[in-house]
Amino acid sequence: MSKEGHMANDTETVAFDVIDGIAWVRFNRPGKRNAMSPTLNRAMMEVLDELEFRSDVAVLVLTGEGAAWTAGMDLKEYFRETEAEGLKGVRRSQRESYGWWRRLRWYQKPTIAMVNGWCFGGGYGPLFACDLAFAADEAKFGLSEINWGILPGGGATKVAVELLPFRKAMYHALLGEPIDGKTAAEWGLVNESVPLAQLKDRVTEVAKILRAKNPVALKATKDAIRRVGVMTYDEAEDYLVRAQEAANSFDNEGRKEGIRQFIDEKSYKPGLGAYDKDRKVR
Ligand code: COA
């Protein structure tokens, strides 16, 4: 790691840089359109491990090297070669991929998918695992499984149903037609779509806003959004009371400072922006 807080590992299937509190993690098999092989899946888990609790990482962005975000599971290395090893091989490779997606869904830091290009099939797992998603207008999204004769597994069907209305999910999965970034934003697969040339700037802008917020509150909030969807109102109310109390005991001082800067100092308005978390509690 250099003095600038820059760390890179560009020879692997996953590459990353940490710059100014933002970890830029890249699927790094551009020649294979960043298809997720067992090797890549293992490398991604290692990189997520490495970055999760580093004090110089506030936000993680997941993007792809070259023309793809990810072309989904590697049909040769993930499917054909592991099937040749029998059920043991299949289950192992499933554990490795589902494992890092699950890890990412509950990641300590806020996460952003920066979808720069192709995003197919198994790619919907990490897409959904990221808290926010921004796409290039030029990107292409598809549940392509039907086109080569399987159902959208590995959570992809679940992702479609979570993010899309029923008719759109059904159409998307049955027809196997790719949609562009703009349509993905209209349908709710991603938050926004912008021209590719502006994508990194827009994601950097969002990452900087996240970076300035209370990290304990960010983690509690992102988990709450994922958890309460399947709860009754009363269960959600109870969960949120307890989640806030747990967060308070974790980061009591930051929360008090947020109240102080608004009520006493009148230096910001919580409805319009975040308190300055870098200033010490008095
Ligand atoms: N699994 C394995 N290899 C893949 C792959 C995948 N999912 N996606 C791309 N590749 C490989 C190709 O086999 C090719 O390898 P080669 O150069 O050794 O022949 C290389 O990546 C480039 O792919 P190519 O198809 O030539 O690139 P393209 O830019 O013309 O097309 C795609 C890009 C993404 C449209 C096309 O590669 C594709 O349809 N991939 C499969 C997508 C898919 O169905 N994924 C779902 C899996 S669950």
Side-chain angles (χ1 to χ4, degrees), residues 9-27:
N9 180 3
D10 289 322
T11 56
E12 306 292 338
T13 51
V14 176
F16 68 90
D17 298 287
V18 177
I19 303 167
D20 297 334
I22 305 169
W24 299 90
V25 179
R26 302 185 297 283
F27 294 107

Side-chain angles (χ1 to χ4, degrees), residues 191-206:
N191 293 91
E192 280 175 33
S193 173
V194 297
L196 179 60
Q198 294 165 25
L199 183 62
K200 190 165 186 191
D201 284 351
R202 176 62 183 134
V203 168
T204 303
E205 189 177 58
V206 172

Side-chain angles (χ1 to χ4, degrees), residues 17-67:
D17 298 287
V18 177
I19 303 167
D20 297 334
I22 305 169
W24 299 90
V25 179
R26 302 185 297 283
F27 294 107
N28 192 35
R29 300 179 73 211
K32 297 288 183 186
R33 303 300 179 265
N34 297 327
M36 288 178 275
S37 62
T39 308
L40 182 145
N41 290 327
R42 286 191 289 274
M44 189 64 87
M45 185 63 114
E46 279 179 25
V47 167
L48 294 180
D49 252 338
E50 150 82 22
L51 296 171
E52 186 164 19
F53 295 102
R54 264 173 55 166
S55 56
D56 61 340
V57 174
V59 180
L60 184 142
V61 177
L62 180 59
T63 190
E65 196 63 60

Side-chain angles (χ1 to χ4, degrees), residues 29-36 67-68 70-79 118-123 142-145 147-148 150 153:
R29 300 179 73 211
K32 297 288 183 186
R33 303 300 179 265
N34 297 327
M36 288 178 275
T70 172
M73 309 323 293
D74 188 309
L75 269 60
K76 177 170 170 283
E77 293 185 38
Y78 180 87
F79 285 108
W118 307 111
C119 175
F120 286 111
L143 288 179
S144 54
E145 286 89 341
N147 294 336
W148 63 278
I150 68 164

Side-chain angles (χ1 to χ4, degrees), residues 7-260:
M7 183 167 170
N9 180 3
D10 289 322
T11 56
E12 306 292 338
T13 51
V14 176
F16 68 90
D17 298 287
V18 177
I19 303 167
D20 297 334
I22 305 169
W24 299 90
V25 179
R26 302 185 297 283
F27 294 107
N28 192 35
R29 300 179 73 211
K32 297 288 183 186
R33 303 300 179 265
N34 297 327
M36 288 178 275
S37 62
T39 308
L40 182 145
N41 290 327
R42 286 191 289 274
M44 189 64 87
M45 185 63 114
E46 279 179 25
V47 167
L48 294 180
D49 252 338
E50 150 82 22
L51 296 171
E52 186 164 19
F53 295 102
R54 264 173 55 166
S55 56
D56 61 340
V57 174
V59 180
L60 184 142
V61 177
L62 180 59
T63 190
E65 196 63 60
W69 194 64
T70 172
M73 309 323 293
D74 188 309
L75 269 60
K76 177 170 170 283
E77 293 185 38
Y78 180 87
F79 285 108
R80 191 160 71 187
E81 291 176 4
T82 59
E83 279 167 19
E85 292 175 43
L87 195 57
K88 188 178 173 195
V90 170
R91 290 285 182 265
R92 186 183 59 235
S93 61
Q94 288 169 338
R95 276 197 307 277
E96 287 167 349
S97 53
Y98 303 172
W100 76 259
W101 303 344
R102 187 179 310 116
R103 182 73 178 273
L104 197 57
R105 282 202 301 281
W106 303 105
Y107 211 59
Q108 187 68 28
K109 312 288 170 65
T111 54
I112 304 174
M114 184 169 95
V115 184
N116 51 300
W118 307 111
C119 175
F120 286 111
Y124 282 42
L127 179 70
F128 179 64
C130 288
D131 302 321
L132 299 172
F134 293 78
D137 294 344
E138 297 89 334
K140 287 273 190 289
F141 295 77
L143 288 179
S144 54
E145 286 89 341
I146 196 74
N147 294 336
W148 63 278
I150 68 164
L151 63 75
T157 297
K158 177 68 175 161
V159 174
V161 170
E162 286 286 320
L163 298 181
L164 304 177
F166 176 86
R167 289 290 174 213
K168 285 196 166 31
M170 193 65 93
Y171 186 96
H172 199 48
L174 287 180
L175 277 289
E177 291 172 0
I179 56 172
D180 63 15
K182 276 189 178 163
T183 309
E186 281 165 24
W187 287 15
L189 273 180
V190 297
N191 293 91
E192 280 175 33
S193 173
V194 297
L196 179 60
Q198 294 165 25
L199 183 62
K200 190 165 186 191
D201 284 351
R202 176 62 183 134
V203 168
T204 303
E205 189 177 58
V206 172
K208 283 182 177 170
I209 295 170
L210 292 171
R211 191 181 64 185
K213 297 198 191 293
N214 179 314
V216 176
L218 283 172
K219 170 65 172 153
T221 301
K222 58 182 257 175
D223 285 3
I225 292 283
R226 286 187 189 273
R227 291 280 185 214
V228 299
V230 293
M231 294 181 190
T232 64
Y233 195 96
D234 282 344
E235 286 166 345
E237 199 176 63
D238 189 53
Y239 167 85
L240 294 169
V241 165
R242 278 154 225 292
Q244 183 58 52
E245 285 170 0
N248 289 353
S249 63
F250 208 107
D251 183 50
N252 212 10
E253 300 314 305
R255 181 178 56 102
K256 287 179 181 167
E257 177 65 8
I259 294 175
R260 192 192 68 75

